[in-house]
């Protein structure tokens, strides 16, 4: 079953066309890695999926349900607000920056959304937060404030925070790009465990090792378009798109 499906997605910022006719389908339990040069539209694609940006044209389906359709900036169809909000809760997102509240402990950061969005009892939300922090290897940092945590630990708190909402799909926008090199591995390890657990994941990444090892499928984006897609073996060993070959030759 397709969990995410986009059809002919276009996104413009003024006269700048950032996404051009992007059609992708992600199946349940699939890990899709999106790679490509800076400015290719990778992060914007994630942001339109999560409705942090509005598409200019195209259709977005979540769990085989049409969530939104637009043509030339005009709404053709959009789920009613309540249904739309429920559908968006099925997606968790982890950003480049951790965006933790500095005045809250790790557990308080993780428990915040379950309390305020799902109206969960505070003690129940703390139990959930502790369990999620344990899942990402931070059982000893539950009551630490972000300032006392390394960048890798803060990013793992951010992953736990997203998981606390029990999403069906996880979106990762270059989650290791702001980390020191020695901290990257601990975050990728958590993501690999998540992939093995069967979580549906769309990961924008510059970590080719992760894409090669953990992804079922890799998409190469360039100039706002899907330049090539295939298995990691197909894309890394024998890319067909000249731009993909050039990109991979420059970084591998």
């Amino acid at each position: 079953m397709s969990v995410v499906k986009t059809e002919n997605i276009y996104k413009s910022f003024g006269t700048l066309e950032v996404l051009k006719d992007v059609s992708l389908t992600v199946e349940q339990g699939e890990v899709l890695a999106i790679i490509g040069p800076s400015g290719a539209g990778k992060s914007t694609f994630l942001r339109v999926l999560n409705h942090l940006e509005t598409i200019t044209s195209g259709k977005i389906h979540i769990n085989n349900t049409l969530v939104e359709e637009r043509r030339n900036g005009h709404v053709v169809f959009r789920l009613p607000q309540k249904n739309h909000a429920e559908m968006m809760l099925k997606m968790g997102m982890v950003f480049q920056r951790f965006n933790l509240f500095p005045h809250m402990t790790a557990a308080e950061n993780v428990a915040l959304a379950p309390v305020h969005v799902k109206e969960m009892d505070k003690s129940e939300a703390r139990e959930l937060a502790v369990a999620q922090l344990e899942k990402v290897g931070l059982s000893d940092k539950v009551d630490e404030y972000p300032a006392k945590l390394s960048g890798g630990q803060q990013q793992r708190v951010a992953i736990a925070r997203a998981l606390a909402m029990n999403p069906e799909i996880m979106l990762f926008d270059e989650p290791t790009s702001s980390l020191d090199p020695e901290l990257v591995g601990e975050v990728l390890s958590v993501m690999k465990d998540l992939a093995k657990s069967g979580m549906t994941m769309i990961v924008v990444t510059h970590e080719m090792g992760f894409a090669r090892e953990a992804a079922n499928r890799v998409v190469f984006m360039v100039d706002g378009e899907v330049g090539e897609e295939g298995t990691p073996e197909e894309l890394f060993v024998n890319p067909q798109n000249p731009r993909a070959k050039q990109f991979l030759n420059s970084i591998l």
Side-chain angles (χ1 to χ4, degrees), residues 71-202:
R71 284 184 207 143
N72 300 318
H74 300 291
V75 175
V76 176
F77 173 83
R78 183 182 166 95
L79 276 181
Q81 185 59 40
K82 183 174 182 294
N83 304 85
H84 188 273
E86 288 171 356
M87 200 62 80
M88 289 302 100
L89 287 177
K90 296 180 186 294
M91 284 191 186
M93 187 155 179
V94 178
F95 300 86
Q96 296 176 29
R97 307 300 301 179
F98 327 123
N99 300 320
L100 301 178
F101 288 107
H103 63 289
M104 292 182 170
T105 65
E108 288 168 343
N109 267 283
V110 175
L112 189 64
V115 169
H116 289 279
V117 179
K118 291 193 169 182
E119 299 181 344
M120 189 180 284
D121 176 79
K122 284 187 177 179
S123 61
E124 186 184 351
R126 178 175 168 86
E127 283 182 27
L128 172 66
V130 169
Q132 294 299 343
L133 287 166
E134 186 174 347
K135 191 181 287 187
V136 299
L138 292 175
S139 54
D140 59 335
K141 304 293 183 184
V142 167
D143 294 315
E144 294 282 10
Y145 288 90
K148 294 281 184 135
L149 302 175
S150 71
Q153 290 168 337
Q154 289 186 61
Q155 190 63 294
R156 284 188 279 156
V157 173
I159 293 172
R161 176 180 59 189
L163 292 174
M165 292 299 285
N166 195 29
E168 295 177 17
I169 311 151
M170 283 287 286
L171 310 178
F172 291 88
D173 185 11
E174 297 186 19
T176 60
S177 65
S178 60
L179 299 179
D180 292 333
E182 69 270 20
L183 302 176
V184 168
E186 64 190 64
V187 173
L188 292 180
S189 177
V190 169
M191 292 170 63
K192 286 174 186 173
D193 287 344
L194 201 53
K196 287 174 190 168
S197 76
M199 174 64 77
T200 306
M201 296 165 61
I202 305 176

Side-chain angles (χ1 to χ4, degrees), residues 7 40 66 114 127 142 148 217 228 244:
E7 295 181 72
L66 179 61
E127 283 182 27
V142 167
K148 294 281 184 135
R217 192 157 47 100
E228 185 171 351

